[in-house]
Amino acid sequence: MGKHEKDQAPMELESEMERLPLDLLAHIFTLLSSFRDLAQVSGVCRKWRRAVEQSMAGREKLSFNGWKMDDESTARLVRLAYCLKELDISRSCWGSHITDAGLYQISLAKCASSLTSVSLWGMTAITDKGVIQLVSKTTSLQHLNVGGTFITDESLFAIANSCPHLKAIGLWSCRHVTERGLFMLVNKCRDLESINVWGVRVPAAFFMSLLTISPALKIKPISLHQNMGGVLPVA
């Protein structure tokens, strides 16, 4: 093959890719699991950027667990996911740079009011300010994990007032949460079925009062009912 033919081959391949319909490109991009790859292909040309946007628009689940994400990149992808129902931005082994600013931007996304599941597990850079802003918009929320964070009762008050359909919440090792916040949460979220309070610094006997409000409530850890005389074990 001559030099002219070698130079022509990449151009022909590029031309073939350009002829692919936008819908087909978008479908191909939905198969990419790497958000880094999505970011790279979106920079190839305007058509590919539109295809990436279209592929994100139909996603109902997004998990950034395992990816090193920051506020801007996370919020940008969430804003494109108009049909999003489940969002996981848990802290990964690589760490996370998501802050209250990122939660604020996510709360402004069109999908916020339709989110049914959110995980903020281990997000040590967030505070009550960011959580309160987010839950004020996620009014359809049914599952929430804020375990391993430094939230206080202020976040629980906001969750209780904004998320009436909440069914399960993870408060694993939320050591700044007290009886007041937990009582408000269970008293207002009457659909609540499960609550994980492992490592919470609250007397175990207090949970008897929660069971009088909601007898069917599953309080984890399972050994809780066998330890009603003391304080919940700290992980």
Side-chain angles (χ1 to χ4, degrees):
M1 182 182 293
K3 183 178 184 303
H4 176 71
E5 292 173 311
K6 289 181 180 179
D7 292 341
Q8 194 174 26
M11 294 179 62
E12 290 177 351
L13 177 60
E14 183 178 352
S15 179
E16 289 292 331
M17 292 295 289
E18 275 298 312
R19 284 197 287 268
L20 285 177
L22 185 65
D23 289 347
L24 181 56
L25 273 175
H27 174 71
I28 293 172
F29 293 154
T30 61
L31 303 178
L32 294 178
S33 59
S34 168
F35 296 108
R36 184 180 297 109
D37 290 344
L38 278 174
Q40 289 176 344
V41 299
S42 67
V44 171
C45 63
R46 183 178 299 176
K47 183 177 180 179
W48 281 37
R49 183 167 62 251
R50 288 171 57 203
V52 169
E53 292 174 355
Q54 185 171 317
S55 73
M56 291 296 298
R59 294 199 182 202
E60 294 189 355
K61 298 180 181 180
L62 270 183
S63 175
F64 299 111
N65 193 0
W67 296 98
K68 192 172 183 179
M69 303 294 291
D70 57 28
D71 290 335
E72 291 297 329
S73 57
T74 302
R76 183 168 59 251
L77 290 173
V78 172
R79 283 196 297 268
L80 295 174
Y82 301 122
C83 299
L84 193 63
K85 300 291 185 182
E86 301 178 20
L87 175 62
D88 183 354
I89 51 177
S90 303
R91 179 183 175 90
S92 71
C93 59
W94 300 104
S96 174
H97 297 289
I98 308 297
T99 68
D100 288 340
L103 296 187
Y104 175 77
Q105 292 182 58
I106 291 172
S107 74
L108 300 180
K110 291 182 179 180
C111 65
S113 62
S114 300
L115 288 172
T116 59
S117 177
V118 172
S119 179
L120 306 175
W121 189 90
M123 306 291 291
T124 55
I126 64 173
T127 69
D128 287 327
K129 182 180 178 181
V131 174
I132 291 171
Q133 172 63 29
L134 180 62
V135 300
S136 70
K137 303 296 184 180
T138 55
T139 53
S140 298
L141 207 58
Q142 296 180 20
H143 302 273
L144 175 63
N145 189 349
V146 285
T149 67
F150 297 117
I151 66 164
T152 72
D153 288 342
E154 295 302 315
S155 287
L156 295 191
F157 295 154
I159 294 167
N161 289 319
S162 301
C163 306
H165 307 295
L166 194 67
K167 292 183 178 180
I169 185 168
L171 298 170
W172 184 89
S173 201
C174 289
R175 302 180 183 183
H176 299 289
V177 164
T178 74
E179 294 96 317
R180 290 179 62 244
L182 292 169
F183 182 84
M184 174 71 81
L185 181 71
V186 175
N187 192 47
K188 284 211 167 188
C189 296
R190 291 308 180 97
D191 290 341
L192 196 62
E193 299 173 355
S194 174
I195 181 171
N196 188 329
V197 291
W198 182 272
V200 174
R201 293 177 174 176
V202 171
F206 162 75
F207 290 94
M208 287 299 295
S209 63
L210 296 186
L211 292 175
T212 61
I213 300 172
S214 180
L217 181 64
K218 294 180 180 178
I219 304 175
K220 302 176 181 179
I222 297 175
S223 60
L224 174 63
H225 301 288
Q226 303 172 352
N227 189 37
M228 284 299 181
V231 176
L232 290 182
V234 176

